[in-house]
Every structure is written in structure tokens, then in C-alpha cells.
Amino acid sequence: MSAPDGTKTGMKLTLNIWRQPDATSPGKMHTYQVEDVSEDMSFLEMLDVLNEQLNAAGEDPVAFDSDCREGICGMCGLMINGQAHGPVTTTTCQLHMRSFKDGETITIEPWRADAFPVLKDLVVDRGAFDRIIQQGGYISVNTGSAPEAHSVQVPKEDADRAFDMATCIGCGACVAACPNGSASLFMGAKITHLGQLPQGQAERDKRVVNMVAQHDHEGFGGCTNIGECTSACPKEIPLDVISQLNKDLRTAMKHGR
Amino acid sequence: MTDSHSEFSSDVDSHADAPTIDPDLIDDAIDYYTPGEPIVDAKAPTGPIDQRWSTRKFEARLVNPSNRRKLDVIIVGTGLAGASAAATLGEAGYNVKSFCYQDSPRRAHSIAAQGGINAAKNYKEDGDSVHRLFYDTVKGGDYRSRESNVYRLAEVSTNIIDQCVAQGVPFAREYGGLLDNRSFGGVQVSRTFYARGQTGQQLLIGAYQALERQVAAGTVTTYTRHEMLEVIVAEDEAGQSRARGIIVRDMVTGEIETHLADVVVLASGGYGNVFYLSTNAMGCNVTAAWRAHRKGAYMANPCYTQIHPTCIPVSGPHQSKLTLMSESLRNDGRIWVPKNKADCAKDPREIPEEDRDYYLERIYPSFGNLVPRDIASRAAKYQCDDGRGVGPEVEGVRRGVYLDFADAIGRLGRDAVEEKYGNLFDMYARITGEDPYETPMRIYPAVHYVMGGLWVDYDLQSSIPGLFVTGEANFSDHGANRLGASALMQGLADGYFVLPHTIRDYLADGPFEKLEESHPAVVEAKAAVEERINHFLTVGGTRSVDSYHRELGHIMWEYCGMERTEDGLKKAIDLIRTLKDDFYRNVKVLGTADSLNQSLEKAGRVADFIELGELMCIDALNRRESCGGHFRAESQTEDGEALRHDDAFAYVAAWEFVADGEKPILHKEDLTYTAIEMKQRSYK
Ligand SMILES: Cc1cc2nc3c(=O)[nH]c(=O)nc-3n(C[C@H](O)[C@H](O)[C@H](O)COP(=O)(O)OP(=O)(O)OC[C@H]3O[C@@H](n4cnc5c(N)ncnc54)[C@H](O)[C@@H]3O)c2cc1C
Ligand code: SF4
Ligand code: FES
């Protein structure tokens, strides 16, 4: 259907959604119909409509994570028709229904990875990411002990590259997309961000060794250079951060860390 | 005008509209509150303004390093204000517990800030200084902030940049390798540091990493997916009430937990979501602050709301949140609406130049499209109210104005525009499906920030001893309006550089007597939380929580939004009271208490928003003047500009909660300025 100005309104969709009551119970797919979906809705607003519908019918609404709904907090994340964050290079919350057709069937699942257990329906536990950061994803500087900001110059190219890698939102799409369930892209982004800056050098060796150890300990898989991560990444973190990660790891080994 | 307590009422005749009465002297809200004793901030030292912070830091008592790990500090919130405080207090050796409702501390809504952070570094040698940043902030706040707090903010601003750079925050740099600055939010100096359009993200990641470092060091424990639902206030042996802990709900298991401490810090962010639609994240809430308010913390200036002029308009009834487009767009975009109503539905490119009304350039020739946020917002509302808005009709009205880059593209070339604004244009295109390089953007104001919040003294301590409040959750620094790029500065100033000094003066008296879980104050707080949850799950009504939230937002936006009137506010109060009543009797929350239950989470938040909404309207009703973001239609100049009344309203309105269904008590803190002279602003 279309409105006079050409926007699609009133789309009808069939949704196959993973329902799982809690972390320990088994889950399965359920099918729902939604009507009156407009192309201006975001994907999550479409799920809001479904939830209003379920609530009215006395059925438990579908649990899914979101917060900022503007593509920056990294809270949202769904497998949509088998693709992490769906068909467009963006976050699930920034995906809009104009990417879908009237009458389409959409399959919606949570992130699938051993290191991200499902908590309920489409909600997973990504605490492993925080624990990786705890192992060295920082520069040790106590409050108040910092030198004057202009005491160190940083070439613009380095600052820009550090920034690009620091735009990772920690959403976990890279892990969900990877057949090995590896978090190498996430880790590589942090290693490259901090390693690109003069301030990040002192702890560079220790950082990579400890973060990788934690990564493996959490049950993330190893990287076999498939590249699914980078194509799923809403922030377009490039695959070369994984080369950087490996390079830093080799250097650290050489230094006997 | 029946209440004889009114300090104004002795001069006031019973006919409020009698022409002889000075309009300043009318207190429209007197039937809705009880006047209370004045309140003062006893912590700010007197003396020269540039010495006060040093004096206070020196006078604040120290805590012996070996005692620090015996002191438990609870911090609710992991945004800039909370994460920075948790990291710093952890480094100092205190035993910190940090809470947030998201699944990771890194997701607090500070992450969404785009534009930048101010600091008086004067790297551009353009005449900036601590004093000028102080001056701009007080003036920007329309002389409704406390000068000693603002001066301190400007003073510590420079340390923030040093700290962040050392943490590896990748601020924008010039080719020479030094930090770049831009001018932001209508000020005349370039003092804004930025990281492309993602400054909040980069600053928060810095603070988050510092926090996680302390988690590894064992000084901070994080509790993610935990929502604070009550504060515990207990009396010590001497009969002194103190904040001693919080009750939280584990949002995954539903378990209600008690956490006890020597001091509690709320860094729980702003409450813009009382309007339902805002640029805040879905989960932003007032619950932490409101629960503290109900336990004795005063709520200050709750009606001060900042409405941002450049947001993407509402596209339909399904809208769940609004997206901000950076203010920097107004540097090059020209704002207009069609002169003729008949053109409103047309393709804008077909409307000839002579039929366009560049209304900001017309009304404010010297500032044009760069007038302050509140003026730009109100002007857009007036155009749309007048039937000249553009874009889709939502509930019968077109609520949008054009922000046109055709001239800029013609003048600078498409590449230059793309270089400057590319990511914003992409975001706009993704959300609206329209290409802003080809057709003008549509924008409309949206609720963005709240200047109001819990009252705090110079130490950032609320009216409950042992309860400190930082960041957007407090009222302290922005008066009636906040300058662009100053909220990030305040959050980090509070957390890194202010609170760690002031909190030690309080903790020097600790550790306090150990509280048992069986203490009546703990039992009461926990029972209250359980009872509320149980109530929501057993009402068995027919309406969803969201439908109430939407209706509340509608009332607030209509009557307590960009323009407020006596009649409108009184009507809003009635509507909110009816809504509240219906909510408690007719809300429908499915699921159980002992599982992840997002409807239940929302129910608690909406319940608190409803109560806050009423207080915001009472506060707005009391303040019969226009100042900053607060515009009372009754108080304007002949040509429709905001008119402040310093003689009657140069005070902070600090509201005390009494009991459900009873009038709140208003305590006034007089604002006096020794280092700056009050002036009426003019942008014509
Ligand atoms: C879209 C947008 C753009 C902005 N751009 C700028 C800008 O360019 N420059 C600028 O200076 N300012 C900007 N601001 C304002 C600024 O970002 C915020 O005011 C500031 O970041 C607030 O920080 P905070 O730490 O006080 O709160 P937040 O970052 O909102 O953090 C709140 C924390 O409290 C927690 N919390 C809340 N309630 C509870 C509860 N009940 N239980 C447990 N935890 C709870 C949350 O989990 C979160 O961790 C912008 C704001 C928005 C919305
Ligand atoms: S690297 Fe990309 S996909 Fe992975 S967590 Fe970061 S933003 Fe998400
Ligand atoms: S909800 Fe924040 S990135 Fe999607």
C-alpha cells in the first residue's frame, strides 16, 4: 500500500522470533503477524508495535535490548534473516522498515555465540566484553596526574586512525557474524586505538597479551580470516585491526611477555 | 489567591487580572504548594570568587589512605558523571560499588553526545579565560545559576582535557598535531574540544576504561542490569538521618537486593523522557532521583527544560524517540517555511525564493539562524502553529521547518559540505529516507536536556546528608538554560575533580555504624519496592504502560513545553492527576517479578514520571517569568521576547516532598551575584 506521497504504509509482515523464557530453559521459534507497519518505522519500533499487540492479547511481550536508538550505545543487536543487524550496514535500531517489503517473512534471533549466553528471548549477556577491557583496554592514568594536554603532539593521521578504531560500540555483531564466534575485531579495534597513540605505548605489550588471554578464556573462538565480522560491523571497523592485533601479539612475545 | 502564606499575597488583590497589579507579584501556584523556610548553600566559601574552590578543597577534611578501603561508596550511574567518580574514588582506595541499568557501563546515555566539550584552555588565543567561560555560562543560564558553582566548573574545565588526552581520548587535531577547537552554541570564542560528531562516546569510553581498570584492581565492583528503586535513609545514634544504601532490582533474575554503604552518589542522568519523546535513550528515567526526592532530597527548578531546535521531526504515531541533528548544522543551513500555507505540501524545491520565509533571518537580523536554542525552537513552533509547517501531517498538523543547504552547497561545493556534515546527512537520510543534498532537511524542536534536578550544595550534597548528586541529575550549574558543550564538561568536572574532594569531608566522619538488613529503614525500603512491584503485576487493567507514558508526554509537551501559560499549566495538573489515578487502577503489566520483565521496568519509571510531571507544572506555574528555557506567555516584551523578573524570581526553587496527595513545600534559595552583573539578554 502507499500513501499519496509515495511512502509505504500498512505493510503486513510475518515474524519468526526466537522465544526463550530464561537462560536455562530451552527456546524455540514462534510466528507472529504484524500489520500496519510503515516504512518510516525503525525495526525496533516495528517490534514495539508487535509488543503492544501481544500485551493487548495477554501474551508476554518479546524481550529485546535497546537504549539510545540512534546507533551509538551498542545495546541493540539482532540476527535478522541470518544477518547480524540485518541487511544494511548499521545497527538494528537504525535499520528502517523501508528495507523490507510488504508480505515478507522476517526471522529474528538473538546473537549466537558461546561467550554470549541468551538471558531471555532476544537478550544476551555480553559481559565478556567488559572483562576483556578489564584486562588492559585502557591507559593507566590516575585522575589529576595527567600532564598538560599540549605537552605531547599527535600527528593528525594517527589521531584520526585512533578515533576511527575507537568508534567501536561494543555491540557484538562481529562475534555473532563470525562462524568461529571470535571477538578479534572488537579486540583489534581497541588494541589499534590505544596502540596508535603515544600515550598507549607503555602498556602496549602487556595489554595485548592479557586481553587475548581473557578472550580465549571467555570461550570466544580463534580468527581464521573469514571477514564476516567486518562486513557485519555497523561502524565499519576494518579487518586490518586483526593484523595489527596479531602483530602486537608477536612483538609482545618477542619481548618475552 | 486564598493562601495567606504567600509572601506576595499581602500586596495582591483577589483579582489577578486587575490592571493595577504588578505582574511579578502574582503567584499562580499558591494553591498548589506550601511556602517553606528559605534554604541556603552553607558550603560555598565566601571571599573572592577565584579563591573559593581552593579554599573549600583545603578546608574539606582528608581521609587517611588506610581508612579508605573501609569506606563503602555506592554510585548509581556510569555516564560521564558516574564512571569518572567511580574510577577516581576507586583509585583513591575507597570501596566502590557502581550500578547501571544497561548491560555495560559503557552504554550510559552520555555516549550519545555529539558536539563537544568546553574548556577554558584558550589554545586559540582568542581572549578566552576561566572568567569568560564563567561569564558565558552564567549569562547563558539567564542568571538563574549559582555563581560559585559555575566559577568552579570553569576553573576545573582545563584539567578535564588533560585527563582525557592522557587516557587516550582521540580528540580532533590540527595538522601540526595540536588539539583542534571550534566555536559552539553561539559563543564568540573557540573553546570546544571534539571528536568528530561523537565526543560523548569518546569521553565515556575513556571514563569507562578507567572504571574497568579499577574493577580489575579490585576497588570497584560493577552491577550492570541493576535498577535502583529506593534509597535507604537511616538515623545514626545521634539521631542524624543519613543515606546509607539503596534497594535495587536485578533486572535479569528479578531479585530485590539491598546494598549498604557509608555514602550514596546519584549520577543517574536527566529526566527528559517525562515528555515521552525526547533525544534521551529509551531507559533514561527519573526513578533514582525521584525516589530520593520522596525520601527528603529537594528537587530544584524541575521545570527548566532545554528544547533543542534541530531534531528530526516525528514521522508518525509509532515514534519511540527523537534524534538530534547537531546544532553545528545551523552554521551553514538556512531555516525557512513557505510564506503561503498552500505551499506547505509542495516539493520545497518548487517553491520560489520570494515565497519562502527565512523567519529567523527576518526577525533576528544580527544573529539570524544562530539565535540561542530556545529562541530558535519557539520560533519554529510559532510557524507550525500558524499552519506553515512542512512535512507529514501528524495528528492534523505539519510539525517541521526546512533547514536548507542549497546555498551552502552552491557557495562551498558539495564536497566541502560533505566533509563537514557528511555523517549527519547520512544519519538523516537513513532515518527519513530523504537525501538532504537534494532536498532540504526537515527539523523540529525536541526535548533534549533538563537543567532542573536534585538540589545540591556546593559540595554536591543533597538535602539528605550522605546523598550526593552529580551530572545531569543535579541542578547545579546551568541555571535556566545550558550552553552547548557544557553538560559533558559538568559531568566530568563533577566526577573527576569536584566530588572526590567534597565527599571526603563527609567520609571523614565515617565509617558509620554498621547497618543490619533488619534495621527498620532497610526493611521499610525493601518492602516498599516489593509492594510496588506486586501492585503493578496484580492490577490486571487494560492499558499498556507505554500508552500512559505517551499520554503523559503529550500533556507535558502541550502545556509544559516550549510555551507555558497559567491556564495551560493548571489544566495539565488536572490531567496528570486524573492520569495518575487511572494508571494505578488500570495499567496492564504481564509477566512475573522474578524474571527479565521489561514492562515491569517501564511501569515503575512511568509511575515516577507522572509524579514528576505534576511537580514540573507546579514549578512552572510558580515561576511567572520567562528565563532561559522556561517561557511563560504572561511574561514577554511587546515584541514577544522572554522577559525575566529579577526582582521577584532570582531564586532557586527547591521543592520538598511531603506525602502523596499533599502539597509540596517550596524552599527558595536566593541567588546573589558578586562577580557578575545581571543583564537582560537581547539577540535582536
Ligand atoms: C543526543 C544528545 C546529545 C548531546 N550532546 C551534547 C554535547 O555535544 N555536549 C554536551 O556537553 N552535552 C551534550 N548532551 C548532554 C549530555 O550528554 C548529558 O547531559 C550528559 O552526558 C549526562 O551525563 P550523566 O553522567 O549525568 O548521565 P547519563 O550519561 O545519562 O548516565 C546515567 C547513568 O545512570 C544510570 N541510571 C539511571 N537511572 C538508574 C537507575 N534507576 N538505576 C540504576 N542506574 C540508573 C544509567 O544506567 C547510566 O549509567 C547531549 C545529550 C543528548 C541526549
Ligand atoms: S567491532 Fe564492530 S561489530 Fe564488533 S563490537 Fe565493535 S562495533 Fe560491534
Ligand atoms: S539502541 Fe543504541 S545502538 Fe542501537
Side-chain angles (χ1 to χ4, degrees), chain B residues 125-139:
Chain B
E125 270 300 309
D126 55 2
D128 199 12
S129 61
V130 167
H131 200 87
R132 190 177 298 280
L133 176 53
F134 158 69
Y135 174 87
D136 286 349
T137 309
V138 174
K139 176 171 174 250

Side-chain angles (χ1 to χ4, degrees), chain B residues 125-430:
Chain B
E125 270 300 309
D126 55 2
D128 199 12
S129 61
V130 167
H131 200 87
R132 190 177 298 280
L133 176 53
F134 158 69
Y135 174 87
D136 286 349
T137 309
V138 174
K139 176 171 174 250
D142 228 357
Y143 305 91
R144 291 293 175 266
S145 51
R146 199 189 275 149
E147 66 171 2
S148 45
N149 287 54
V150 178
Y151 196 91
R152 174 178 65 191
L153 175 66
E155 205 176 327
V156 303
S157 66
T158 56
N159 303 348
I160 296 174
I161 303 304
D162 299 341
Q163 184 65 28
C164 295
V165 166
Q167 288 172 342
V169 170
F171 284 122
R173 290 187 181 257
E174 297 167 343
Y175 283 100
L178 296 175
L179 293 162
D180 192 19
N181 292 129
R182 59 185 176 198
S183 138
F184 196 73
V187 298
Q188 281 148 331
V189 292
S190 290
R191 63 160 76 101
T192 305
F193 294 77
Y194 65 101
R196 219 164 293 162
Q198 287 157 244
T199 316
Q201 179 195 31
Q202 295 308 316
L203 296 173
L204 184 61
I205 296 294
Y208 155 76
Q209 289 172 181
L211 171 79
E212 294 295 354
R213 171 175 166 244
Q214 290 311 304
V215 173
T219 61
V220 177
T221 311
T222 49
Y223 296 83
T224 59
R225 293 198 198 267
H226 276 68
E227 183 164 23
M228 171 191 155
L229 297 175
E230 201 53 85
V231 54
I232 297 166
V233 181
E235 281 187 8
D236 63 14
E237 302 119 316
Q240 169 73 62
S241 290
R242 297 179 189 276
R244 292 301 306 274
I246 57 175
I247 306 287
V248 299
R249 180 171 179 273
D250 178 328
M251 295 159 76
V252 177
T253 64
E255 191 181 336
I256 306 299
E257 303 171 354
T258 303
H259 293 267
L260 301 172
D262 295 286
V263 70
V264 176
V265 180
L266 298 186
S268 49
Y271 52 75
N273 276 351
V274 65
F275 290 86
Y276 186 67
L277 290 180
S278 80
T279 63
N280 285 1
M282 301 303 288
C284 290
N285 67 89
V286 76
T287 290
W290 193 256
R291 294 284 120 193
H293 173 60
R294 291 180 56 105
K295 281 273 168 75
Y298 297 171
M299 181 60 99
N301 302 329
C303 82
Y304 287 165
T305 311
Q306 184 168 86
I307 296 183
H308 201 292
T310 52
C311 301
I312 300 178
V314 173
S315 71
H318 55 266
Q319 194 89 27
S320 60
K321 74 139 324 183
L322 294 169
T323 303
L324 174 77
M325 301 293 288
S326 168
E327 186 150 52
S328 60
L329 290 169
R330 287 201 278 146
N331 289 331
D332 287 302
R334 295 181 69 197
I335 295 175
W336 62 276
V337 291
K339 281 184 182 160
N340 308 315
K341 293 178 187 172
D343 288 346
C344 290
K346 271 197 193 152
D347 181 336
R349 289 165 294 187
E350 284 162 15
I351 303 175
E353 204 54 36
E354 63 273 18
D355 289 339
R356 302 176 175 194
D357 179 10
Y358 294 90
Y359 57 90
L360 288 177
E361 297 170 25
R362 171 170 58 81
I363 309 172
Y364 305 97
S366 54
F367 280 79
N369 294 299
L370 293 174
V371 291
R373 292 177 177 178
D374 57 312
I375 294 182
S377 294
R378 246 183 346 265
K381 172 180 163 30
Y382 293 152
Q383 305 308 317
C384 299
D385 286 351
D386 193 32
R388 296 191 300 143
V390 297
E393 281 190 5
V394 178
E395 290 167 10
V397 191
R398 293 178 201 279
R399 296 227 164 262
V401 299
Y402 290 123
L403 176 63
D404 198 335
F405 287 86
D407 277 6
I409 293 173
R411 183 163 39 89
L412 310 165
R414 183 183 156 127
D415 288 350
V417 170
E418 191 171 339
E419 165 77 24
K420 266 183 159 165
Y421 305 115
N423 57 341
L424 295 168
F425 278 39
D426 291 349
M427 179 166 83
Y428 182 85
R430 205 181 308 120

Side-chain angles (χ1 to χ4, degrees), chain A residues 38 40-41 45 48-49 52 54-70 72-75 90 94 96 98 119-120 123-124 126 129-130 133-134 137-150 152-157 159-160 162-164 166-171 186 190 193-194 197 199, chain B residues 88 91 101-107 109 111-112 114 121 123 161-163 165-168 170-171 173-179 195-196 198 201-202 205 208-210 212-213 215-216 224-225 252 279 281-284 315 318-324 427 429-433 496-497 544 546-547 588 590-591 595-596 598-599:
Chain A
S38 109
D40 286 330
M41 282 182 187
E45 285 168 346
D48 291 341
V49 169
E52 281 284 303
L54 291 176
N55 192 71
E59 278 181 67
D60 199 17
V62 179
F64 62 89
D65 268 332
S66 77
D67 203 28
C68 74
R69 294 207 178 181
E70 50 184 88
I72 194 75
C73 75
M75 186 90 176
T90 187
Q94 287 291 290
H96 281 71
R98 63 182 73 86
L119 297 173
K120 180 176 179 178
V123 177
V124 301
R126 285 168 293 199
F129 271 9
D130 290 336
I133 297 297
Q134 281 158 23
Y138 48 75
I139 290 168
S140 296
V141 49
N142 281 7
T143 301
S145 62
E148 154 59 40
H150 267 181
V152 183
Q153 275 148 284
V154 182
K156 183 173 171 12
E157 302 72 40
D160 285 351
F163 171 84
D164 285 337
T167 58
C168 163
I169 57 174
C171 62
F186 166 78
K190 186 53 44 193
H193 159 210
L194 298 176
L197 297 169
Q199 293 86 350
Chain B
T88 305
E91 288 161 10
Y101 69 75
Q102 295 92 344
D103 73 331
S104 165
R106 65 179 292 155
R107 308 205 199 283
H109 199 50
I111 200 105
Q114 301 172 351
K121 280 285 197 189
Y123 282 160
I161 303 304
D162 299 341
Q163 184 65 28
V165 166
Q167 288 172 342
F171 284 122
R173 290 187 181 257
E174 297 167 343
Y175 283 100
L178 296 175
L179 293 162
R196 219 164 293 162
Q198 287 157 244
Q201 179 195 31
Q202 295 308 316
I205 296 294
Y208 155 76
Q209 289 172 181
E212 294 295 354
R213 171 175 166 244
V215 173
T224 59
R225 293 198 198 267
V252 177
T279 63
M282 301 303 288
C284 290
S315 71
H318 55 266
Q319 194 89 27
S320 60
K321 74 139 324 183
L322 294 169
T323 303
L324 174 77
M427 179 166 83
R430 205 181 308 120
I431 293 174
T432 62
Y496 283 135
F497 298 107
S544 70
D546 277 353
S547 76
K588 179 175 187 177
L590 299 171
S595 65
L596 198 159
Q598 293 172 329
S599 312

Side-chain angles (χ1 to χ4, degrees), chain A residues 234-251:
Chain A
K235 299 294 145 180
E236 302 181 58
I237 301 292
L239 204 55
D240 66 12
V241 300
I242 302 183
S243 316
Q244 186 69 53
L245 172 77
N246 291 331
K247 206 161 129 199
D248 278 23
L249 193 58
R250 280 196 304 275
T251 311

Side-chain angles (χ1 to χ4, degrees), chain B residues 9-186:
Chain B
S9 60
S10 53
D11 312 312
V12 177
D13 188 283
S14 58
H15 292 283
D17 51 1
T20 49
I21 296 169
D22 182 341
D24 309 5
L25 302 181
I26 301 171
D27 188 349
D28 301 328
I30 194 59
D31 291 340
Y32 296 86
Y33 75 89
T34 309
E37 291 296 311
I39 184 175
V40 288
D41 165 25
K43 299 283 178 45
T46 49
I49 195 143
D50 56 353
Q51 301 295 311
R52 292 181 196 169
W53 179 227
S54 319
T55 308
R56 182 66 193 135
K57 275 195 289 187
F58 182 73
E59 287 175 352
R61 289 168 296 163
L62 298 170
V63 177
N64 185 321
S66 63
N67 270 345
R68 294 185 195 156
R69 76 190 133 76
K70 296 181 207 148
L71 289 160
D72 297 329
V73 181
I74 282 176
I75 302 181
V76 180
T78 60
L80 292 182
S84 56
T88 305
L89 294 171
E91 288 161 10
Y94 297 99
N95 184 28
V96 179
K97 287 180 172 186
S98 153
F99 295 81
C100 67
Y101 69 75
Q102 295 92 344
D103 73 331
S104 165
R106 65 179 292 155
R107 308 205 199 283
H109 199 50
S110 294
I111 200 105
Q114 301 172 351
I117 178 167
N118 288 331
K121 280 285 197 189
N122 192 28
Y123 282 160
K124 296 280 168 187
E125 270 300 309
D126 55 2
D128 199 12
S129 61
V130 167
H131 200 87
R132 190 177 298 280
L133 176 53
F134 158 69
Y135 174 87
D136 286 349
T137 309
V138 174
K139 176 171 174 250
D142 228 357
Y143 305 91
R144 291 293 175 266
S145 51
R146 199 189 275 149
E147 66 171 2
S148 45
N149 287 54
V150 178
Y151 196 91
R152 174 178 65 191
L153 175 66
E155 205 176 327
V156 303
S157 66
T158 56
N159 303 348
I160 296 174
I161 303 304
D162 299 341
Q163 184 65 28
C164 295
V165 166
Q167 288 172 342
V169 170
F171 284 122
R173 290 187 181 257
E174 297 167 343
Y175 283 100
L178 296 175
L179 293 162
D180 192 19
N181 292 129
R182 59 185 176 198
S183 138
F184 196 73

